[in-house]
Amino acid sequence: MFCEQCEQTASGNGCHQWGACGKSPEVNAIHDLLIYCLRGLARVVLKAKEYNIPTREMDVFTCEALFATMTNVNFNNKQLTEYIKKCIMQRESLKLTIQNTTHIPLTWSALSSYEPDWNESLVLQGENLAHSFISPSSNDLDIISLKLTVLYGLKGAASYTFHAQELGQEDEKVYRFIQEALASLDRTDIRLEEWINLALKVGEINLRAMELLDAGHTETYGHPTPTPVPLNPRKGKCILVSGHDIRQLEAILKQTATKDITVYTHGELLPAHGYPKLKQTYPHLYGHYGTAWQNQTKDFARFPGAIIITTNCLMPPHETYDDKLFTIGPVSYPHLTYLPPTDNGIPDYTPAIEKALSMAGFSEEMPPRQVMVGFARNTVLSVSEQVIEAVKAGKIRHFFLVGGCDGAKPGRTYYTEFVEKVPSDCIVLTLACGKFRFFDKQLGAIEGLPRLMDVGQCNDAYSAIQIALGLANAFNVGVNEIPLSLVLSWYEQKAIAVLLSLLYLGIQNIRLGPTLPAFLTPNVLKFLEDKYHLQAIKTPDEDLAACLG
């Protein structure tokens, strides 16, 4: 196998025998085969768009299928094979629609006509196709690097687009670009500069996808407001909901409303507590349990109720708790109970509810502990005058955005130490699961403003960007001139998409770690260093000194 799409690749170079995420070489090969088939579908979809033939079904499917190939999402070859079959079925059906609409004989490329040999090993076919993708005749490693950057960023953008459409927010421009980028991946006539521009275009489109998702969340559930979230469980039956999908969290809350079950969030769903309409409507949405995704083996083993995984990141489960684990949407693992969607995209959660009712639940109350969430753009910008006055008065010296993905690889203690060493006249904004390194730290306040503010999920990078742009406008300077430093951690493809969005906006001096992406060649890294001053993290002391210097 060959995979280097996440930060935890073996030796920092790529996984060749078994995925660090837990996926087998066989699963990796089926992922590659699915990507190849999606590239063929993309060309047919684009041709249909030329003739104004509706393609929404294929566009949504493409986003979901790309989502399934992300790190820690789908480990199930059976379900992945069904995605491949559906991809080919949609492609051939759309070809027929184009023919019947235009009455023009069209010749399709080998890519858009490809069908696996179902009588032979799909794994071997996927491996051969993956090898041809990363070993083109040009043998230009920098172009291969950028092609992989485009593909990985596209996976992240597609996942946000998939979530946004669940909430009724869609943009044909986003769908079209995703198909265009997929169709471009096998081109050999694109020069290095054009691949760089295409990667930055992924960032532009991902920014729009995050904007759509933000609109879906805020229009449905209201703008987040500062909200205390209990970390201590309460007595009674319980369900734990992990992942990112707030629409599915609401569906679970609806289906458990009369069941005397307490619902807890896990991982990236912590910020859901800040949405007022969600919190007010469902009082049994009580608290948060556990920390980041890589700790789920111990968190899930101890949780005395059913657990539902709505998105990434799923780790290979232990047999001690796999009987209480349920997956939905693009998430799947062999032998786990999968809850299929109904016509409206919402599963029937009855099996998980019944499991929760059959289990002991929490038997006693725990000592109170809590954290605050809900410091999204509306909250922060509503006190922008107060912030500006505090900066002018020298009471706030600097802002740090410290966030991104968490992970198990050594080196991530850097982020805990960094936040602990941030001077008392500075404010830390954070988002995504990287915050679990320090989310319960008591950093105090400056002029009534908390020194640690949780902006939200990884997709709420959009909200953080709006905060930065809002402060820049208020100070009447460029965004790179405000006293703000970005210190980011990355793990998977959503983080790649967010990074590309920041580069598209021209954000300078981003510090990234714990290691830099293995798929970036030295020449591509040098370009990013020269143009954007993108740099690897060093030590907390060195980086703080540089940021505050």
Side-chain angles (χ1 to χ4, degrees), residues 288-542:
H288 188 81
Y289 185 88
T291 55
W293 66 271
Q294 77 278 2
N295 299 320
Q296 66 186 246
T297 51
K298 63 179 182 181
D299 289 340
F300 290 178
R302 292 188 303 217
F303 189 76
I307 303 165
I308 302 168
I309 310 293
T310 65
T311 65
N312 59 312
C313 296
L314 171 67
M315 294 179 67
H318 288 187
E319 60 184 14
T320 55
Y321 61 79
D322 60 4
D323 64 324
K324 62 183 179 183
L325 206 54
F326 299 82
T327 66
I328 67 168
V331 188
S332 185
Y333 196 93
H335 312 305
L336 292 185
T337 302
Y338 180 79
L339 303 177
T342 58
D343 291 342
N344 64 358
I346 300 293
D348 178 358
Y349 285 104
T350 299
I353 294 169
E354 291 176 345
K355 184 65 179 179
L357 292 173
S358 73
M359 297 182 68
F362 289 102
S363 59
E364 58 184 358
E365 301 291 333
M366 302 290 183
R369 290 176 58 226
Q370 67 179 35
V371 293
M372 293 290 293
V373 300
F375 294 95
R377 70 182 191 281
N378 266 31
T379 295
V380 177
L381 293 179
S382 69
V383 293
S384 60
E385 290 185 10
Q386 182 182 348
V387 171
I388 292 165
E389 288 305 313
V391 172
K392 289 180 177 178
K395 295 177 180 178
I396 297 177
R397 181 169 31 150
H398 206 83
F399 295 88
F400 292 94
L401 176 61
V402 186
C405 307
D406 203 358
K409 197 173 182 179
R412 291 181 182 270
T413 53
Y414 163 97
Y415 297 94
T416 309
E417 186 181 346
F418 186 97
V419 169
E420 289 174 342
K421 291 185 173 182
V422 167
S424 59
D425 58 356
C426 300
I427 284 178
V428 177
L429 304 172
T430 188
L431 50 75
C433 65
K435 63 174 166 271
F436 288 112
R437 294 278 169 172
F438 49 80
F439 78 129
D440 55 353
K441 299 289 181 185
Q442 301 301 312
L443 301 186
I446 302 175
E447 296 291 290
L449 299 170
R451 288 191 55 235
L452 179 60
M453 300 185 189
D454 185 347
V455 179
Q457 296 182 329
C458 57
N459 49 278
D460 290 313
Y462 173 79
S463 196
I465 289 167
Q466 297 310 307
I467 291 172
L469 294 175
L471 291 176
N473 289 335
F475 280 110
N476 197 28
V477 297
V479 70
N480 289 310
E481 298 173 76
I482 60 175
L484 169 68
S485 297
L486 277 64
V487 183
L488 306 180
S489 54
W490 79 284
Y491 173 68
E492 39 82 349
Q493 296 78 65
K494 289 179 179 177
I496 297 167
V498 171
L499 177 62
L500 291 174
S501 293
L502 294 172
L503 297 179
Y504 159 72
L505 291 169
I507 305 296
Q508 301 276 329
N509 299 305
I510 298 170
R511 285 171 166 78
L512 184 65
T515 59
L516 295 177
F519 53 84
L520 295 180
T521 59
N523 286 337
V524 173
L525 271 176
K526 188 174 188 309
F527 168 82
L528 296 174
E529 291 167 356
D530 292 344
K531 184 166 184 177
Y532 300 101
H533 306 294
L534 178 72
Q535 53 200 286
I537 58 171
K538 296 178 182 176
T539 68
D541 289 328
E542 287 178 285

